[in-house]
Amino acid sequence: MIRINSLHCDACQLGRGVRQSCPLSPLLFNIYIQQLIEEALENTEDGVKVNGLLDAMLSCSNAGLQRIIDALNKTSNDYGIKINIKKR
């Protein structure tokens, strides 16, 4: 049984995703991806920080950028998201 506020309804099967062209789709994606990025980069010293928060995934060195990408890739895998390196 599912309860929303004080209303009860029967259980239902939940799937994945939203309908194509649903206005909630970009909003939900932005919320999801922001959390993923924050988690991936919470322990890194690389990147551009503004007021102590990571603002951009940039680095002064190739090694720093690789650490950022590795952290993002690992967390993306944990979230079940695959990064497509072939897209430009």
Side-chain angles (χ1 to χ4, degrees):
M1 180 171 290
I2 299 172
R3 185 182 80 168
I4 300 174
N5 294 326
S6 61
L7 300 174
H8 291 82
C9 65
D10 294 330
C12 62
Q13 181 70 28
L14 296 177
R16 295 192 325 177
V18 293
R19 289 184 181 263
Q20 201 167 13
S21 76
C22 175
L24 282 177
S25 182
L27 175 65
L28 294 173
F29 176 79
N30 286 339
I31 292 169
Y32 191 79
I33 203 70
Q34 184 63 39
Q35 180 62 38
L36 184 152
I37 291 170
E38 287 176 11
E39 184 177 321
L41 304 177
E42 66 187 2
N43 295 320
T44 185
E45 294 298 318
D46 300 299
V48 175
K49 293 186 170 84
V50 176
N51 293 328
L53 300 173
L54 189 69
D55 189 52
M57 294 188 327
L58 302 171
S59 181
C60 296
S61 68
N62 288 342
L65 186 56
Q66 187 63 55
R67 284 189 295 269
I68 290 172
I69 296 301
D70 290 344
L72 185 62
N73 188 49
K74 180 194 176 306
T75 306
S76 295
N77 287 334
D78 294 344
Y79 274 60
I81 292 178
K82 183 178 180 184
I83 297 174
N84 186 347
I85 60 172
K86 294 178 184 177
K87 285 193 173 184
R88 296 177 184 220

